[in-house]
Amino acid sequence: MYRLLIVDDEEYIANGIRASVNWSNLGIFYVSIANNARQAKELCSKHSFDIMICDIEMPQGNGLELYEWVRTEQPWTECVFLTCHADFQYAKKAIQLGSFEYMLKPALPEELEQVVKKLIEKISKDRKSASIVIERFWQDLLNQVFPSQPESIREAIWKNNIPYTDGMKFLPVLIGIQHWEQEPGERDAPVMESELTNALEEIVIRPVAAAHLVRVKANQLLALFPTGHEIDAESGEEFRQEIMRRFGLFIEVCNQRLNCHLSCYIGLPAEIFRVRDMADDLESLRKKQVNAVNRVVLIDEKITQETSFPLPPMKLWSELIKQGDKKKLIVESQQFVESLKQIEGLNSKSLQQFYLSFLHMVLQTLQEKGVHADEMLADHFAPERISSAVESVKDLQDLVTDVLELAMTSIETLGSNETVVDKIKRHITANIDQDMSRQYIADYIGFSPDYMVKLFKKETGLSISEYVLKERIHLAKELLAKSETSISNVALAAGFANFSYFSTLFKKEVLMTPQEYRKRFSGM
């Protein structure tokens, strides 16, 4: 979506330009009008524009002087001059300023539409090519690849030909993904993340000229909106309220369409060399508001202090582990962690203290049962794992369940030579001709599907679905090479109810059809 500013001192001409073209067909959904240079500057102080259609001779400053000012304040704004004056000096100056086109009045609507259409194609192409460079600039700035000093930043901007000026300020917004209702698998994750980013671009980023989106880390994005405003200025606060409204709409779309829960933290406009500090402040705010799910939070709003953190029943959980009462243990622990969602102002520091105490309790309990768990729980004590545990209460719930599943598995397999992964493999082999879902296998093993999948992947390097397919294809190959049973029966014996689907998968995995494989490898 693009924003257009029409500047002409003749009101009827400006209104005629607005009415003569179906701007929305070109992707222009915001059209503003100014009748002199002063009004145009006021509008530019409130909004960012992608395109300006401008007369030249006007009261209170001509169009050439106005565009020269606009290029300083909003370097990304493209200009089409539309004037009565076929003056060579005017045209020469317009070219020097970098205007896209110099048109004479009266211009036919079709001609103006074609010029703007070509201009939008240019803007789109330019921004796509610049996008990677600009994102790299912001990532380098945030990661301190170069110092956050004005001189270093100016040099980086100049070297990369980025259209930023010294006086520009940026409003940073941190977007933190809390959790998906159904955690995406390895194949689905890129698609779902792309859908989320597309929604963010469409609802929030594109309507603001030169706004940019930067990936900070997994499950975190930083949106940056150029603005020349101080936040105490009326126009600056209007801009921030509009951004807040759009992020609220974005959260609704994510909830309803993507089943994703997240929070957005809006900072204050800052000069480029202060953006990293503002981003750090937003991250600190996020950590102090763990339960701010599906909310837009302003950095300068009053923050609720954390109410008292409940004392976790560690002794009870320890006894349930020793007794092997897995069902009651999972229910009790989940109820406690779920209750943390009701704490106002819950911060990540409290969650971290709880999680570390919980890990030490599990470690000590297992040692008392004769299980040497230091190595087994080493991953859970890693800084990155602890960091992920305190992102949200939902993340903490999942990790607590994982640890308890691991603890109960260790006790159950104590003295047994068969590991959990061996048990899963044996069950798959015995039921290879059956329809096997994650839940089906998990119910047999006695673990949650999520924990079972993580454990299996860690031990084998394969997902369970990949392992099942591998075993089914292996069985099909054996039957094709060593028996005379029909190919349709081979498919059924290997767990494929649909013969066409079996043939397609077999060819994809083996690089030949079942018929070709039997012909080549059958010894009969």
Side-chain angles (χ1 to χ4, degrees), residues 4-213:
L4 168 67
L5 175 61
I6 299 169
V7 188
D8 199 298
D9 60 324
E10 308 250 15
E11 191 172 341
Y12 75 94
I13 291 180
N15 288 329
I17 294 171
R18 177 162 61 181
S20 66
V21 175
N22 188 337
W23 299 109
S24 61
N25 283 350
L26 300 176
I28 298 172
F29 292 94
Y30 303 91
V31 181
S32 301
I33 289 178
N35 296 127
N36 53 54
R38 179 184 56 79
Q39 289 180 9
K41 289 179 180 180
E42 288 176 358
L43 284 169
C44 286
S45 70
K46 294 179 180 179
H47 308 288
S48 294
F49 292 96
D50 302 283
I51 301 168
M52 181 171 73
I53 296 176
C54 187
D55 194 5
I56 290 184
E57 288 200 350
M58 299 181 295
Q60 303 181 39
N62 69 36
L64 294 168
E65 293 168 346
L66 172 63
Y67 186 45
E68 196 165 6
W69 177 87
V70 167
R71 281 184 60 80
T72 302
E73 298 299 314
Q74 298 183 11
W76 54 86
T77 303
E78 298 280 356
C79 181
V80 173
F81 283 110
L82 184 58
T83 179
C84 297
H85 303 283
D87 186 299
F88 174 75
Q89 292 302 320
Y90 281 167
K92 180 181 177 183
K93 181 66 173 176
I95 291 170
Q96 288 173 345
L97 289 173
S99 67
F100 182 75
E101 188 63 86
Y102 188 97
M103 301 179 71
L104 293 176
K105 294 179 182 177
L108 293 173
E110 308 86 66
E111 292 177 353
L112 181 59
E113 183 175 354
Q114 282 303 309
V115 167
V116 174
K117 185 177 180 182
K118 288 179 181 177
L119 176 53
I120 286 174
E121 289 172 357
K122 175 185 180 294
I123 291 171
S124 177
K125 184 179 178 180
D126 288 350
R127 289 185 182 173
K128 280 180 181 176
S129 60
S131 179
I132 297 172
V133 175
I134 294 174
E135 181 170 1
R136 179 62 183 271
F137 164 78
W138 282 113
Q139 285 177 338
D140 287 350
L141 177 64
L142 295 169
N143 294 325
Q144 303 183 65
V145 173
F146 52 80
S148 292
Q149 301 297 328
E151 298 77 18
S152 302
I153 291 170
R154 281 193 206 101
E155 183 181 357
I157 289 171
W158 179 78
K159 280 183 177 178
N160 292 288
N161 197 28
I162 297 172
Y164 292 163
T165 60
D166 280 351
M168 289 178 70
K169 289 185 172 68
F170 288 84
L171 177 68
V173 181
L174 182 67
I175 303 105
I177 300 170
Q178 297 272 14
H179 67 274
W180 304 82
E181 287 184 16
Q182 184 173 357
E183 200 65 30
E186 287 184 19
R187 294 182 180 178
D188 296 332
V191 176
M192 294 174 73
E193 287 174 7
S194 177
E195 287 182 5
L196 183 144
T197 303
N198 289 341
L200 181 57
E201 291 273 2
E202 181 180 343
I203 297 169
V204 187
I205 303 298
R206 288 182 195 143
V208 182
H212 208 77
L213 193 60

Side-chain angles (χ1 to χ4, degrees), residues 179-426:
H179 67 274
W180 304 82
E181 287 184 16
Q182 184 173 357
E183 200 65 30
E186 287 184 19
R187 294 182 180 178
D188 296 332
V191 176
M192 294 174 73
E193 287 174 7
S194 177
E195 287 182 5
L196 183 144
T197 303
N198 289 341
L200 181 57
E201 291 273 2
E202 181 180 343
I203 297 169
V204 187
I205 303 298
R206 288 182 195 143
V208 182
H212 208 77
L213 193 60
V214 181
R215 180 167 295 281
V216 181
K217 59 182 179 181
N219 293 330
Q220 274 192 25
L221 298 165
L222 186 70
L224 293 149
F225 301 93
T227 170
H229 314 303
E230 296 292 349
I231 206 59
D232 55 357
E234 183 180 346
S235 56
E237 185 56 33
E238 272 179 27
F239 177 75
R240 198 166 71 138
Q241 288 299 319
E242 173 64 12
I243 293 297
M244 185 176 182
R245 185 187 70 79
R246 288 186 176 279
F247 271 107
L249 178 59
F250 166 65
I251 288 173
E252 285 182 24
V253 169
C254 287
N255 292 169
Q256 295 166 11
R257 279 179 22 200
L258 303 177
N259 296 320
C260 177
H261 300 275
L262 65 162
S263 298
C264 304
Y265 305 86
I266 300 181
L268 296 169
E271 287 127 328
I272 297 178
F273 65 91
R274 290 199 174 99
V275 166
R276 189 175 65 81
D277 291 339
M278 182 58 68
D280 289 343
D281 291 343
L282 291 174
E283 173 64 5
S284 296
L285 174 63
R286 187 189 67 80
K287 289 181 178 179
K288 292 175 183 175
Q289 298 289 299
V290 174
N291 281 334
V293 184
N294 298 324
R295 280 186 53 201
V296 180
V297 182
L298 297 175
I299 196 169
D300 50 347
E301 72 180 56
K302 187 176 180 181
I303 301 299
T304 304
Q305 296 300 312
E306 181 181 279
T307 53
S308 63
F309 195 92
L311 191 66
M314 297 290 189
K315 289 185 178 179
L316 171 62
W317 297 350
S318 178
E319 282 303 313
L320 291 173
I321 293 172
K322 292 174 183 176
Q323 293 168 16
D325 194 341
K326 179 180 175 181
K327 185 176 180 181
K328 187 174 181 181
L329 174 64
I330 297 297
V331 169
E332 290 280 347
S333 60
Q334 289 301 294
Q335 284 179 347
F336 174 82
V337 179
E338 183 70 23
S339 72
L340 301 181
K341 293 180 180 179
Q342 308 307 316
I343 298 178
E344 286 288 327
L346 180 65
N347 66 67
S348 59
K349 186 177 180 181
S350 296
L351 290 186
Q352 180 174 316
Q353 290 172 344
F354 161 75
Y355 186 59
L356 288 173
S357 297
F358 166 75
L359 289 176
H360 284 295
M361 178 276 293
V362 172
L363 184 62
Q364 185 176 349
T365 303
L366 290 177
Q367 287 174 341
E368 290 174 8
K369 290 288 290 182
V371 177
H372 298 290
D374 301 66
E375 186 175 342
M376 181 178 70
L377 291 176
D379 286 348
H380 290 275
F381 279 101
E384 58 271 16
R385 184 65 65 91
I386 293 171
S387 177
S388 68
V390 301
E391 290 289 314
S392 70
V393 173
K394 174 67 169 57
D395 290 324
L396 182 65
Q397 279 180 311
D398 292 342
L399 285 171
V400 165
T401 300
D402 282 354
V403 172
L404 292 178
E405 295 270 17
L406 187 61
M408 297 307 291
T409 302
S410 302
I411 291 174
E412 288 169 6
T413 57
L414 196 62
S416 170
N417 291 325
E418 187 179 44
T419 67
V420 174
V421 171
D422 289 338
K423 194 175 180 182
I424 294 171
K425 287 181 176 179
R426 178 168 54 79

